[in-house]
Amino acid sequence: MPRFTVHIRDEWLAVPCRDITNTIRWLGQEALKRYMKNKPDNGGIPAGKDTRFSMRRCQGLGLLDADDTVEDVLEDNDFVELAIEGDTMSPDFIPCEPGYLSLDGNSLTANDLVNLGRGLYKIKLTGEAERKVVQSRELLDTIVKENKVVYGITTGFGKFARTVITVNKLKELQENLVRSHSAGVGNPLSPERTRMLLALRINVLAKGYSGISLETLHAMIQAFNASCLSFVPEKGTVGASGDLAPLAHLALGLMGEGKMWSPKSGWADAKYVLEAHGLKPISLKPKEGIALINGTQMITSLGAEAVERAQAIARQADIIAALTLEVLKGTTKAFDSDIHSLRPHPGQIEVAQRFRSLLDSDHHPSEIAESHRFCDRVQDAYTMRCCPQVHGITIDTINFVHNIINTEINSATDNPMVFAERGETISGGNFHGEYPAKALDFLAIAVHELASISERRIERLCNPSLSELPAFLVNEGGLNSGFMIAHCTAASLVSENKVLCHPSSVDSLSTSAATEDHVSMGGWAARKALRVIEHVEQILAIELLAACQGIEFLRPLRTTTPLEKVYELVRSVVKPWIKDRFMSPDIEAVHRLLIDQKVWNVAKPYIDKYQTEYIPESRPGSPTAFSLESPASPRKRVRHE
């Protein structure tokens, strides 16, 4: 009898189908019945009502017509996604109209910024932020009115800091600054990254230390909320005085010059894009040009995306490595908490605990682990045994970088600074990008190590002398090449990363006639960190594919419940390899699972439950230690109430 696997929220349900002339609507209704039956409150779905839903084929995401018959559009054991209309419990649910995020210049996080980039929120200012902006601008207007000589307000810039500009030329001074500094090259930032850049610049200006007018800041917010996004080339910043070229391009579009993009207009001349949304170009007042382009916002916004993606892939790397260890019939003794309490780095302890949460044979019985429980192997290769030590320092580095980026997000990086309460402006160097540049170089180096160790595990999976599995994880080797070249792809990406991990922040070139004689090169640090992280995601996608393929050769034995759930998730988008086929789509499909954090979301409930409901029995001298493989006597479990 044919059966189909239907994904509803976070659960996979097998639905048998005796009559394949039934419709897709019938299949969805049957799956919903089974889902609600296992929930004490029907999962929050009203019983007896006609619940509206849509269904998609998991592979390729093709939308299924509810009136089509099962036999016409599905094959036996196909995987289908069911989305309940308006369901806020779905991880993919996005409200039709974004809510608002209030910016005050002090409380934005990297996660908030990434969500702003995705278009999940619009922006508004807090009342306190508006008050500070007005107060700061009033001081600047006084300076101009009294003809005081202040850098960047009534003087030129950089080498021209001693050149005083007449009052009737101050508007032209600011406009010329933006135009001349719009000298970037290369491809434009994506709409998501440009949204992040614009949102972050608004947040920094909202602190009230830049002298921007409230009128101009509101115009920037209106452009953000309408998704009117300037053409910002990705190359051209040296990271001090901040990201001058990218931020100048950002301001240029707001002035109605250059190119802009919006969902409504696509790429077009900026003035027409603004006009199509009922917006007017900004007209720069004294100091506003330099206020718009001085700062570390490109380094930091790209850094926010990098550190968020790094955190996501680091967590999922633990899950993938645990699955590989199971397939290679490794021992779990290396994750005993007694070992890690003797070297108590936070990341190392966290990773070891995560491995225990996934592999504890008492809590999650594993037929694969049981099949080799009494083998004579004492210890495994470093790539399995040392995961807590290698993955752990990556996690600690990510946490360090997160703190740097979150601080930078809410920092005033303009020059000169306007201190309304002191009644003066002060020139300084907060625009220097060394903090985020150094941090992002560290991030690239640390996250790359997840790929380096993963590639070695892929080798162990593919090499029959190391895995006891068929060569390259395929039957009829020779006729079929299996994962041979997928491993080569992983190796090539690791090699690329080794070059990309050379720190850019150790370089400096003097610019602006030796006025800016030490720079951070932070823009390149941010861009290459993102490239390194993407490679890491792709390499781990290959390892996850290989580990799931390895399980096929161990069947009918099953692994632990959380790892079986991960296997089922992968099989919802990629079928087992029976013979050679086009592999790139498989890698991309699993890469997408990792980007969307679906591997983490599937395993997390089991990890959380294990870590919050159960604590190990204590042994003398080690209050938190226990062994995963101690079959002699059951451990006492203590439930946290």
Side-chain angles (χ1 to χ4, degrees):
M1 180 183 0
R3 70 170 193 167
F4 306 93
T5 304
V6 182
H7 185 219
I8 302 178
R9 292 174 175 167
D10 289 324
E11 292 192 14
W12 295 93
L13 302 165
V15 181
C17 182
R18 285 187 173 84
D19 183 359
I20 57 175
T21 63
N22 283 325
T23 63
I24 293 296
R25 181 181 291 105
W26 170 88
L27 180 63
Q29 290 169 341
E30 190 67 20
L32 274 173
K33 282 183 199 173
R34 290 167 182 265
Y35 176 83
M36 294 164 62
K37 183 179 178 182
N38 295 327
K39 303 292 177 186
D41 61 346
N42 290 330
I45 301 170
K49 292 192 176 180
D50 185 19
T51 304
R52 297 172 65 87
F53 58 86
S54 61
M55 298 183 73
R56 290 181 180 274
R57 190 191 302 273
C58 288
Q59 187 163 18
L61 300 178
L63 188 65
L64 297 171
D65 189 318
D67 294 321
D68 281 345
T69 63
V70 168
E71 67 177 344
D72 287 338
V73 294
L74 295 179
E75 297 176 5
D76 186 18
N77 208 30
D78 256 350
F79 291 78
V80 179
E81 175 86 26
L82 186 151
I84 301 167
E85 189 171 300
D87 184 14
T88 57
M89 291 182 66
S90 167
D92 297 322
F93 174 79
I94 299 175
C96 294
E97 180 62 29
Y100 280 85
L101 195 65
S102 296
L103 299 187
D104 59 6
N106 300 308
S107 52
L108 191 66
T109 67
N111 184 254
D112 291 335
L113 191 57
V114 170
N115 285 333
L116 284 165
R118 291 172 179 160
L120 301 188
Y121 299 105
K122 292 185 177 181
I123 286 174
K124 62 181 178 180
L125 295 179
T126 65
E128 178 63 12
E130 290 189 342
R131 185 190 66 78
K132 287 184 175 180
V133 168
V134 169
Q135 194 177 29
S136 174
R137 186 65 212 178
E138 287 173 349
L139 174 60
L140 274 184
D141 289 340
T142 300
I143 289 171
V144 173
K145 186 177 180 181
E146 295 177 355
N147 291 319
K148 292 182 178 179
V149 177
V150 178
Y151 172 74
I153 302 174
T154 56
T155 75
F157 311 97
K159 186 69 175 177
F160 299 119
R162 296 181 182 179
T163 303
V164 178
I165 310 298
T166 59
V167 172
N168 65 333
K169 295 283 188 179
L170 294 184
K171 182 178 186 296
E172 186 180 354
L173 170 71
Q174 301 299 317
E175 291 173 345
N176 285 347
L177 176 72
V178 172
R179 290 172 184 138
S180 66
H181 284 51
S182 297
V185 297
N187 295 325
L189 296 178
S190 67
E192 292 79 8
R193 289 174 180 171
T194 309
R195 261 197 296 268
M196 290 174 66
L197 180 63
L198 179 55
L200 184 52
R201 194 63 204 154
I202 291 168
N203 187 63
V204 170
L205 295 172
K207 291 183 74 69
Y209 292 94
S210 300
I212 199 82
S213 69
L214 191 58
E215 178 187 359
T216 298
L217 191 52
H218 278 161
M220 295 173 71
I221 292 170
Q222 289 171 349
F224 177 89
N225 290 343
S227 244
C228 293
L229 306 170
S230 303
F231 183 101
V232 180
E234 62 180 2
K235 299 177 184 178
T237 175
V238 295
S241 295
D243 296 315
L244 292 172
L247 290 172
H249 281 278
L250 187 73
L252 189 70
L254 296 170
M255 289 167 52
E257 301 180 25
K259 297 288 185 182
M260 258 189 162
W261 177 93
S262 81
K264 183 176 177 180
S265 66
W267 287 109
D269 289 343
K271 61 181 179 180
Y272 296 126
V273 175
L274 292 171
E275 186 180 311
H277 292 81
L279 303 177
K280 294 181 180 179
I282 59 176
S283 178
L284 297 182
K285 301 175 178 61
K287 211 274 186 184
E288 289 196 322
I290 196 169
L292 290 174
I293 73 170
N294 217 206
T296 62
Q297 280 66 62
M298 177 165 152
I299 306 171
T300 308
S301 59
L302 295 183
E305 179 188 345
V307 78
E308 287 292 311
R309 285 175 68 172
Q311 186 176 66
I313 196 58
R315 294 186 300 207
Q316 293 175 111
D318 295 344
I319 299 166
I320 294 166
L323 185 58
T324 295
L325 183 135
E326 273 280 275
V327 173
L328 294 175
K329 298 183 178 179
T331 176
T332 55
K333 288 183 178 179
F335 312 119
D336 189 303
S337 59
D338 270 357
I339 293 173
H340 302 284
S341 67
L342 299 178
R343 196 191 192 196
H345 292 295
Q348 179 176 330
I349 289 173
E350 180 181 339
V351 173
Q353 187 181 48
R354 198 168 286 152
F355 270 72
R356 294 195 297 270
S357 301
L358 295 165
L359 296 170
D360 178 4
S361 56
D362 286 349
H363 192 64
H364 300 302
S366 165
E367 294 172 349
I368 294 174
E370 193 63 32
S371 71
H372 63 92
R373 181 174 292 279
F374 300 107
C375 70
D376 58 1
R377 184 185 300 174
V378 177
Q379 59 187 23
D380 293 312
Y382 290 0
T383 49
M384 295 187 285
R385 196 194 331 164
C386 298
C387 283
Q389 291 79 5
V390 177
H391 291 203
I393 182 57
T394 300
I395 287 174
D396 287 340
T397 303
I398 290 168
N399 290 336
F400 166 77
V401 176
H402 234 136
N403 288 335
I404 296 287
I405 294 296
N406 280 335
T407 299
E408 193 75 6
I409 282 172
N410 296 294
S411 295
T413 55
D414 201 351
N415 184 58
M417 293 294 184
V418 181
F419 293 92
E421 65 277 10
R422 292 172 56 173
E424 62 179 317
T425 63
I426 305 175
S427 290
N430 276 5
F431 49 70
H432 201 294
E434 197 75 7
Y435 261 100
K438 278 284 186 289
L440 291 168
D441 278 337
F442 295 163
L443 183 71
I445 292 167
V447 178
H448 161 70
E449 219 52 38
L450 298 176
S452 179
I453 197 170
S454 172
E455 183 274 329
R456 289 292 81 204
R457 291 192 298 262
I458 297 169
E459 158 71 10
R460 302 192 76 82
L461 286 164
C462 291
N463 188 335
S465 65
L466 301 174
S467 68
E468 302 176 10
L469 296 168
F472 304 112
L473 301 169
V474 71
N475 288 320
E476 295 188 82
L479 175 64
N480 295 302
S481 296
F483 279 69
M484 181 188 295
I485 303 305
H487 174 231
C488 290
T489 299
S492 74
L493 294 177
V494 167
S495 182
E496 281 192 39
N497 274 3
K498 289 175 182 177
V499 176
L500 291 169
C501 283
H502 176 81
S504 64
S505 62
V506 299
D507 187 29
S508 176
L509 287 170
S510 179
T511 60
S512 193
T515 303
E516 299 159 5
D517 56 350
H518 183 278
V519 299
S520 71
M521 299 299 179
W524 175 224
R527 288 193 294 113
K528 70 185 182 63
L530 277 167
R531 195 185 300 181
V532 166
I533 291 163
E534 182 178 44
H535 291 167
V536 173
E537 293 165 347
Q538 290 164 335
I539 291 163
L540 282 160
I542 292 170
E543 182 187 353
L544 181 52
L545 273 171
C548 288
Q549 181 65 12
I551 284 182
E552 306 299 339
F553 298 103
L554 302 179
R555 291 301 194 210
L557 300 179
R558 295 176 64 82
T559 181
T560 65
T561 304
L563 295 180
E564 283 289 339
K565 293 293 183 183
V566 172
Y567 167 84
E568 290 170 7
L569 172 67
V570 172
R571 286 290 169 252
S572 73
V573 295
V574 175
K575 293 181 179 180
W577 268 56
I578 308 301
K579 60 181 181 179
D580 280 352
R581 65 172 186 261
F582 184 21
M583 183 172 266
S584 287
D586 292 354
I587 297 171
E588 181 52 38
V590 176
H591 181 206
R592 175 50 55 186
L593 293 180
L594 295 174
I595 289 176
D596 294 340
Q597 301 191 54
K598 290 187 177 180
V599 171
W600 173 249
N601 292 335
V602 163
K604 185 178 184 293
Y606 298 93
I607 295 171
D608 290 346
K609 184 176 181 180
Y610 181 87
Q611 294 182 357
T612 59
E613 291 189 1
Y614 298 93
I615 61 173
E617 183 179 19
S618 299
R619 294 201 293 271
S622 180
T624 62
F626 69 99
S627 170
L628 289 175
E629 294 190 38
S630 52
S633 60
R635 284 194 305 278
K636 174 184 176 184
R637 283 183 171 56
V638 182
R639 183 179 294 275
H640 291 291
E641 296 296 336

